[in-house]
Amino acid sequence: MALNKEDALDARILQDQLADLRAGLFVSMPISTILSGLILMVQALSGGGFAAAVWFLIVNAINVARLALAHYQLNETGPKDDLKWISQRLRWFAILALLAGFAWSFPAVLTAGYTTPQSALHLIILAGISAGAVTYGSSYSAAAISFITPPLLITAGWLLTKGNLEDYILAFAVLLFEGGLVRSSLVGQARFREASRLRHEAERLAAVMERNSKEDHLTGLLNRRGLEHAIGQYENTDGPFVAMLIDLDGFKSVNDTYGHRTGDELLVMISRRIEQEAPAGSTLARIGGDEFVLFFPSLRNSPSPSILASNIIAKLARPYPGVASVRIGASLGIYLAESPGLTEMLLRADIALYTAKRRGRNEFCLFDAELDRELHRRQSIERDLHSAIKTRSLSSWFQPIVRLDTGGLVAFEALLRWTHPIHSAISPPEIITAARETGMLQLLTHTVSGTVVLLSTAC
């Protein structure tokens, strides 16, 4: 069952507590072994080695169990977003910490109620290991408090039974020490949880922003950035790949007649119709106002691009409720590529699209060798135009305009000419289109105007 946002966030915080607690054990357990070994050595030198040895084995058996649990959970698979599942794992650590706490209460017995000469050393070690438990277990206060409470309370109790003022003061200090550690543990857990919450909320917000940056908010499809990311996943995959650029016919009339709200609703319906025809494993994106891209690997079981294009055109041409007076159609440009690359695929699909549009509404065109030659010609013209302008390779031919009745010269008509070194004569419309596409229209106009002025001056 899916968790709501708050439960999911709480589950991630508990996961962080569990991970931090496990990491702390791999540091604190070796320290516990060393400290218990020191107590064993001191007791052995003072003649109480057997009881201390039994206690040492019990303490370290519990330590091994705690480490084994931590190591097992590192590789454990389970519903890690399940609050109950995570809480159970944390409780096991608290239970073992409580057992360890009772084990560390036994030094009070070893020192006969802290009356032997070694008592000061035992109290110092007990204070150190209690503080360490809070330090390394600050992410989960229940484990730290479970560990420190039995030995410190038992120590205070033993001291109170002695009946002298110094022991009363020391017992009070122990209780005050425990109160400070409990408060420190609770504060540490609260701070850890707050830091974890802020981090996960930041990650969630970043994920939402990342998703929104790749999504078209109107249709729920990918946008251009999302499409680029999706295509990038096929970088090391063998082709061929199919890119279909779908441009709606007659959509502007919907916005003009019915308004943009109806137009937006229509775009959503259109996107759902394209999705219904899209093959399995395909990616659909809206990259412009009324432009869509359908991308998919061309597999054996994939439909033929021509059949798919015909089906999409037929699907989109069906009437739409609420806009019966406007007929919506679609033109498609199709490109098959051996390797996925958004810029290259869209460029060639766009050329095929406009070839389809020249044929009329509800047409599709597959980018072929002839269109490829046209593309290379256009790119060559655009690439060489600036150099041609600078070197004055473009020339203006002036055709006289005369009156038929008198034969008198009235004016001249300037005709732009360019002999390209590869493609020979380039027509004026091609030159002007190339100048517009490359941002050199103003430079071209200035150059031609200057030539005309020079001629006028000469005349």
Side-chain angles (χ1 to χ4, degrees), residues 172-205:
F172 176 76
V174 170
L175 292 175
L176 194 63
F177 178 61
E178 181 183 6
L181 290 180
V182 169
R183 182 183 181 279
S184 178
S185 181
L186 293 172
V187 170
Q189 175 181 267
R191 289 175 176 172
F192 182 90
R193 286 181 60 85
E194 179 65 12
S196 176
R197 182 186 65 81
L198 292 174
R199 179 171 64 84
H200 286 296
E201 286 185 343
E203 289 174 352
R204 183 168 64 184
L205 179 60

Side-chain angles (χ1 to χ4, degrees), residues 51-82:
V54 173
W55 169 80
F56 177 82
L57 292 175
I58 293 173
V59 165
N60 285 282
I62 297 173
N63 288 348
V64 169
R66 296 171 76 181
L67 285 173
L69 179 62
H71 185 270
Y72 168 74
Q73 289 188 4
L74 285 175
N75 303 313
E76 186 180 19
T77 58
K80 295 186 178 180
D81 59 348
D82 188 337

Side-chain angles (χ1 to χ4, degrees), residues 14-30:
L14 287 177
Q15 287 177 23
D16 288 344
Q17 289 180 267
L18 185 59
D20 185 79
L21 187 61
R22 284 195 301 250
L25 286 175
F26 289 104
V27 178
S28 61
M29 290 303 94

Side-chain angles (χ1 to χ4, degrees), residues 335 365-377:
Y335 176 62
C365 177
L366 182 67
F367 187 88
D368 55 16
E370 181 179 350
L371 290 180
D372 190 50
R373 285 192 294 271
E374 289 184 17
L375 173 62
H376 285 297
R377 174 186 171 87

Side-chain angles (χ1 to χ4, degrees), residues 42-246:
V42 170
Q43 289 300 118
L45 293 174
S46 62
F50 178 76
V54 173
W55 169 80
F56 177 82
L57 292 175
I58 293 173
V59 165
N60 285 282
I62 297 173
N63 288 348
V64 169
R66 296 171 76 181
L67 285 173
L69 179 62
H71 185 270
Y72 168 74
Q73 289 188 4
L74 285 175
N75 303 313
E76 186 180 19
T77 58
K80 295 186 178 180
D81 59 348
D82 188 337
L83 287 171
K84 184 178 179 181
W85 186 89
I86 302 170
S87 299
Q88 286 176 345
R89 269 65 193 163
L90 286 169
R91 278 195 294 271
W92 273 111
F93 282 111
I95 291 170
L96 289 175
L98 182 63
L99 291 176
F102 278 114
W104 274 93
S105 304
F106 195 69
V109 177
L110 296 176
T111 58
Y114 296 104
T115 58
T116 64
Q118 297 81 26
S119 297
L121 176 64
H122 287 66
L123 287 173
I124 291 173
I125 291 177
L126 179 61
I129 200 168
S130 297
V134 172
T135 299
Y136 291 107
S138 61
S139 58
Y140 185 56
S141 62
I145 294 173
S146 296
F147 177 81
I148 66 174
T149 300
L152 293 180
L153 285 182
I154 290 174
T155 298
W158 277 102
L159 293 171
L160 288 172
T161 59
K162 292 184 176 183
N164 57 66
L165 180 61
E166 290 82 359
D167 291 320
Y168 288 158
I169 294 174
L170 186 56
F172 176 76
V174 170
L175 292 175
L176 194 63
F177 178 61
E178 181 183 6
L181 290 180
V182 169
R183 182 183 181 279
S184 178
S185 181
L186 293 172
V187 170
Q189 175 181 267
R191 289 175 176 172
F192 182 90
R193 286 181 60 85
E194 179 65 12
S196 176
R197 182 186 65 81
L198 292 174
R199 179 171 64 84
H200 286 296
E201 286 185 343
E203 289 174 352
R204 183 168 64 184
L205 179 60
V208 170
M209 294 176 65
E210 176 69 12
R211 184 171 63 252
N212 289 342
S213 71
K214 298 177 182 177
E215 185 178 284
D216 175 51
H217 301 302
L218 176 62
T219 62
L221 302 176
L222 296 177
N223 57 19
R224 187 185 180 98
R225 183 170 183 268
L227 176 63
E228 186 171 3
H229 181 267
I231 291 178
Q233 305 301 311
Y234 293 92
E235 185 176 356
N236 298 319
T237 306
D238 294 332
F241 301 92
V242 178
M244 287 188 172
L245 184 59
I246 306 168

